[in-house]
Amino acid sequence: MTIRLPVTATAAVLVLALAVPPDAAAQTPTSAPALAPPPPRQGGDTSQTDTRALAEMLFFTARGLMDAGRFTEACAKLAESYRLDAAAGTLLNLAVCNEKIGKIASAWGEFRDSVSEARKQNRPDREQLASERVKVLEPELPFLTIKVPTEVRAITGIEITRNGIPLQAAAWDTDLPVDPGKIEVVESAPGYKPKTLFVNVTNKEHATLNAEPLELAPIVRPPPPFWTTKREIGAILFGAGVVAAGVGTYFGIQAINDVNTSNGTGITTGCPTDKAGTQHCSQPGFNAMQNANTEAWVSDITIGVGAAAGIVGAILFATGGAHETTQAPPGTMGKGWSWQLSVGPRSTGGLLTKSF
């Protein structure tokens, strides 16, 4: 525990004695105890030294703000200084500061802690000062009881906070001191809508706030992903089908051209027919006829495969939404759909069925 000691013991006693008039029953202190920083420590962890240095800087900045009457800013800096380095002098100044801004319950608790710290450090001057302020503030304290009915207690994971500070179940239905003003009470639990309640409490008042049952929160699920595995496969198949159909169309056109060439009447390029009805093919005409047959076969295959792939891909894409929780086995498309593809030497075929 760091102790921010005065420069001289005599000066500290005088300041502490004059800071708060002991006989003022309803009077607040006119100034905070002027406390000097502790002597520098030798060695130790560098991070701890830096933390203490930051706490000292905040402390002296807060003292300046208090002297200027800017108590709200000063209290925030003193609270942070005390969090970084729990020095007894900082706690006492924080209590005085909180009393100045009307947070008498906080000040009352801090003065009580200062009494305990002073006793540990054998500082009767500080103990007397803090004890007197406790006696002055105690009759002015406001209290708030948060009553939690059985139906609220039964909610799994119910949490209740008062001005952002969680209240354990042991603190429910108990008259507890609070700083005067508007008190915010928040009830929350997993799966329920949080509820915020407000109550205004004044000095010396004993207020009561009843916790209310919570409403179930709607279940919000993120939208399912558009591109599922099934849809990706469907898009690939459909694209492959379009390409195959394009290739088949190309070979079909080539086959038609070669057929026209082979059916030509040119003696050197086609397959003319004589008066007896006999067809005589030149070598180019024969080659054109052979090419036409091959190209027609390729065209039939690729167009058939392309059509089948396009149909299957379209069905997979249409039925492949994220609501599908089970993956269809190979050769099926879920929900009773199945498909079969057969390819022959001159043709291709597909069979799409659905079972009910």
Side-chain angles (χ1 to χ4, degrees):
M1 176 68 69
T2 302
I3 304 171
R4 296 202 168 91
L5 297 175
V7 177
T8 65
T10 304
V13 172
L14 290 176
V15 173
L16 289 172
L18 295 175
V20 182
D23 56 345
Q27 183 180 355
T28 58
T30 58
S31 64
L35 301 173
R41 302 182 183 181
Q42 301 296 328
D45 183 30
T46 303
S47 61
Q48 292 180 358
T49 303
D50 292 342
T51 300
R52 287 194 298 270
L54 178 57
E56 290 294 338
M57 182 61 68
L58 289 170
F59 173 80
F60 285 118
T61 303
R63 284 292 310 172
L65 292 170
M66 292 176 70
D67 293 338
R70 297 162 62 181
F71 292 100
T72 301
E73 299 173 63
C75 291
K77 294 187 182 301
L78 285 171
E80 178 63 11
S81 176
Y82 187 72
R83 186 188 70 82
L84 294 171
D85 186 15
T90 305
L91 179 62
L92 193 56
N93 276 269
L94 179 60
V96 173
C97 189
N98 278 328
E99 184 179 0
K100 276 288 188 181
I101 63 175
K103 298 177 69 173
I104 60 175
S106 298
W108 174 76
E110 290 153 0
F111 278 127
R112 284 172 56 90
D113 291 340
S114 294
V115 171
S116 300
E117 289 297 322
R119 288 174 181 169
K120 292 178 184 177
Q121 299 164 13
N122 194 23
R123 291 295 303 270
D125 51 348
R126 289 183 178 179
E127 181 181 351
Q128 180 183 359
L129 172 65
S131 298
E132 289 172 352
R133 298 317 303 166
V134 168
K135 292 178 182 178
V136 170
L137 293 176
E138 208 159 62
E140 299 293 321
L141 289 177
F143 289 82
L144 174 63
T145 300
I146 300 177
K147 291 190 175 181
V148 184
T150 304
E151 58 269 26
V152 178
R153 291 175 179 265
I155 298 176
T156 302
I158 183 69
E159 292 184 357
I160 298 178
T161 62
R162 189 189 69 186
N163 285 345
I165 300 175
L167 290 181
Q168 301 301 322
W172 300 346
D173 299 333
T174 304
D175 208 21
L176 300 175
V178 292
D179 290 321
K182 190 175 185 180
I183 309 298
E184 180 187 71
V185 176
V186 178
E187 305 172 47
S188 60
Y192 291 82
K193 295 180 181 179
K195 179 168 291 188
T196 303
L197 307 174
F198 295 96
V199 60
N200 286 302
V201 184
T202 59
N203 286 11
K204 301 181 181 180
E205 181 182 2
H206 288 257
T208 300
L209 179 68
N210 295 315
E212 300 178 2
L214 299 178
E215 299 179 12
L216 286 171
I219 299 176
V220 179
R221 294 187 176 91
F226 181 81
W227 286 105
T228 61
T229 302
K230 196 172 180 181
R231 275 184 170 165
E232 289 176 351
I233 295 175
I236 293 173
L237 285 177
F238 185 83
V242 171
V243 172
V247 172
T249 302
Y250 169 78
F251 280 100
I253 294 174
Q254 290 295 107
I256 292 174
N257 292 334
D258 286 336
V259 166
N260 291 334
T261 299
S262 66
N263 290 336
T265 57
I267 298 176
T268 60
T269 59
C271 294
T273 304
D274 58 14
K275 294 180 180 181
T278 304
Q279 191 176 33
H280 302 274
C281 287
S282 63
Q283 187 62 43
F286 178 78
N287 292 339
M289 183 179 295
Q290 292 292 103
N291 290 338
N293 291 335
T294 303
E295 290 162 349
W297 180 82
V298 172
S299 177
D300 290 342
I301 293 293
T302 52
I303 290 178
V305 171
I311 293 173
V312 172
I315 295 175
L316 286 175
F317 188 87
T319 62
H323 60 276
E324 297 284 351
T325 57
T326 57
Q327 185 177 1
T332 66
M333 294 184 297
K335 295 191 175 181
W337 286 99
S338 62
W339 58 275
Q340 293 178 342
L341 181 66
S342 60
V343 179
R346 297 295 301 270
S347 64
T348 184
L351 178 62
L352 182 66
T353 62
K354 177 178 176 60
S355 59
F356 298 91

